[in-house]
Amino acid sequence: MARVAHVPGKIIAPPRMQRSTNFGRGVLLSFRAFQTSHPTSHLSMALQSMASDSKSGQLAATRSRESGRKTALRDTSRGGPVVALTGAASFLGTNVIGLLEEDERVQRIVAIDIKAPSTAGKKTRSYEVDFTQPTAEARLAEVLAAERADIVVHLAFLANPTPASAWAHELESVGTMHVLVAARHAQVRKVVMWSQTLLYGAHPSNPNFLSERHPLRADRHEPFFVDKVEAEAEASKFARRAPGSVVTVLRMAPLLGPTVHNYMTRYLAHRMVPTMMGFDPLLQFLHEVDAIAALKLAIDRDVPGTFNIVGDGVLPLSTVIKLAGRIALPIPHPVAESVCALGWLAQVAEVPPAFLKYLRFLCVADGTKAQKEMGFRPAYTTREALLDFVSAQRLRDVKLLQENVA
């Protein structure tokens, strides 16, 4: 039986198998590709359930504002909130915009990126802003103030590591500072930010499940992690300086699904999958649909704080490789680190050597807080997210499904 993302206080009946063109191109193409072979697709039902999300979150947020929160917040009773998204043309950005386009409670969408999102509709206004430019902060403040934005969803982060570390630092660390300064000047009511559970780091001393209170101990010599840790620190600073605002940080497990494309999907797409000899760590995934659902939930409801957004359950790496239909290639980790470092310098390796620690040690997050305080419950387990990816990858392997790069 297909399952849908749980919405407290509402029973969702299975919807009909049809999609609006407002959803992200990748998810829509995936749905069409699987419609014939999966007549009760998890994907379509979960997306439909998110589009018809319960009004309870909006009601709670309205009551919270009306209870006398002493801040200079804008009155959204004029026709619903104005939601601004950075990284609007990214995978997450395009799909969230598709949901917001169909949400009658949202008055207007402000898409901020270096290009317009493919899902932009009648409610969306697109602005070209390059966060790596020195004028980004002033331009952002101008856009947010002119559009009277109530909510900023900050998604302008890299899903994959890049050798261009200086550019990435300007985009993520400095760019986040620009976004939050502009949000404070524009008196934005809420900030929702995407982060990753990878920032906890993979260590032999890690507990079985890492809570949000656990320190971020990812490799401080790897810019991919450092920039995101600095971005989270900026978000914490913003929350302290603007106590009347709502700041929500969503730390997501590695994303898998039929349409998302990242370092993990590339790793599992190889016929021979490198592993570290003598190690078999537990892995945890989040389905792409659940990631979009969590972002929509954070937009709809005022839930300040940091939350781990993860799929239920874990899988040993050896099981992941078997379910993916791949062959494990064990390599002694000292050899693998040397080869990976040389490959990264030559720009032929997909990840820097710091990522190899996640093939040796545990890095699994506890999603209890998100379930209790946000009401978030994933529609897919870790195993189901993997299997949904595998189904699509098998079609890509035989050239029956086009690769989607987002």
Side-chain angles (χ1 to χ4, degrees):
M1 177 181 289
R3 296 185 299 166
V4 297
H6 175 77
V7 179
K10 184 174 183 180
I11 298 175
I12 303 172
R16 294 184 178 181
M17 298 292 290
Q18 59 183 11
R19 290 299 318 131
S20 163
T21 56
N22 278 336
F23 281 92
R25 184 174 299 169
V27 172
L28 179 58
L29 288 177
S30 170
F31 167 75
R32 289 173 176 169
F34 285 109
Q35 190 173 14
T36 302
S37 58
H38 294 72
T40 57
S41 168
H42 274 43
L43 184 61
S44 62
M45 290 188 177
L47 285 173
Q48 286 278 14
S49 71
M50 287 186 292
S52 60
D53 200 2
S54 170
K55 295 183 179 180
S56 61
Q58 181 71 11
L59 179 60
T62 303
R63 287 174 177 171
S64 176
R65 289 194 295 272
E66 291 176 353
S67 65
R69 186 173 294 190
K70 298 181 180 179
T71 55
L73 304 183
R74 294 192 178 87
D75 178 14
T76 58
S77 62
R78 63 184 186 275
V82 176
V83 182
L85 294 93
T86 67
S90 66
F91 175 83
L92 291 175
T94 54
N95 283 285
V96 171
I97 286 175
L99 288 178
L100 296 176
E101 281 282 353
E102 294 191 346
D103 191 340
E104 297 178 354
R105 297 167 296 178
V106 176
Q107 178 188 7
R108 188 164 63 253
I109 306 162
V110 181
I112 301 171
D113 209 323
I114 58 174
K115 63 178 182 180
S118 59
T119 49
K122 294 180 180 180
K123 292 197 291 188
T124 302
R125 296 178 182 176
S126 297
Y127 292 89
E128 184 177 333
V129 181
D130 186 347
F131 288 3
T132 65
Q133 298 301 313
T135 58
E137 185 178 305
R139 177 60 174 155
L140 279 168
E142 178 186 359
V143 169
L144 296 179
E147 292 289 354
R148 302 183 67 197
D150 302 292
I151 302 170
V152 169
V153 183
H154 185 31
L155 305 175
F157 295 97
L158 299 177
N160 304 297
T162 175
S165 57
W167 171 81
H169 177 74
E170 291 294 322
L171 173 68
E172 296 188 329
S173 179
V174 179
T176 297
M177 181 178 65
H178 290 330
V179 170
L180 296 176
V181 170
R184 187 165 63 250
H185 289 165
Q187 297 182 344
V188 167
R189 190 184 71 79
K190 183 196 297 187
V191 174
V192 178
M193 192 173 88
W194 173 43
S195 187
Q196 302 187 33
T197 58
L198 289 179
L199 302 186
Y200 290 119
H203 299 277
S205 60
N206 277 354
N208 288 337
F209 290 94
L210 297 155
S211 74
E212 290 82 353
R213 296 188 301 273
H214 199 83
L216 303 181
R217 300 194 296 157
D219 192 334
R220 290 306 180 103
H221 299 290
E222 172 48 48
F224 181 80
F225 302 133
V226 173
D227 293 335
K228 292 172 176 59
V229 171
E230 291 177 353
E232 280 210 27
E234 290 293 334
S236 298
K237 190 184 302 181
F238 176 86
R240 292 193 301 268
R241 292 179 176 177
S245 297
V246 176
V247 180
T248 304
V249 177
L250 303 182
R251 291 178 185 156
M252 297 186 181
L255 300 187
L256 280 185
T259 65
V260 68
H261 185 78
N262 55 33
Y263 68 91
M264 183 58 70
T265 62
R266 290 200 301 269
Y267 172 70
L268 294 175
H270 294 297
R271 203 160 294 279
M272 302 285 289
V273 179
T275 63
M276 299 299 98
M277 187 177 292
F279 295 90
D280 191 19
L282 296 175
L283 300 183
Q284 180 183 52
F285 302 124
L286 178 69
H287 196 280
E288 59 191 52
V289 167
D290 286 323
I292 300 162
L295 287 166
K296 184 63 165 60
L297 195 62
I299 292 169
D300 290 344
R301 303 179 182 182
D302 288 350
V303 281
T306 300
F307 301 91
N308 293 331
I309 305 297
V310 300
D312 290 336
V314 294
L315 290 172
L317 176 58
S318 58
T319 302
V320 170
I321 294 173
K322 288 179 182 177
L323 289 175
R326 306 310 189 190
I327 301 172
L329 179 63
I331 304 172
H333 67 86
V335 175
E337 288 176 0
S338 299
V339 172
C340 187
L342 290 174
W344 185 247
L345 286 174
Q347 299 187 19
V348 294
E350 295 174 347
V351 293
F355 276 71
L356 297 182
K357 290 183 179 179
Y358 296 88
L359 301 182
R360 297 171 60 194
F361 305 123
L362 190 69
C363 183
V364 173
D366 184 357
T368 302
K369 182 182 176 184
Q371 291 186 12
K372 290 183 177 179
E373 297 186 20
M374 285 185 63
F376 171 78
R377 295 183 184 177
Y380 291 74
T381 64
T382 287
R383 184 186 184 94
E384 289 167 341
L386 172 66
L387 292 177
D388 209 21
F389 158 75
V390 170
S391 297
Q393 186 58 44
R394 285 173 178 165
L395 294 179
R396 283 190 281 265
D397 288 343
V398 294
K399 310 300 182 183
L400 292 179
L401 184 65
Q402 184 178 1
E403 187 70 73
N404 177 61
V405 180

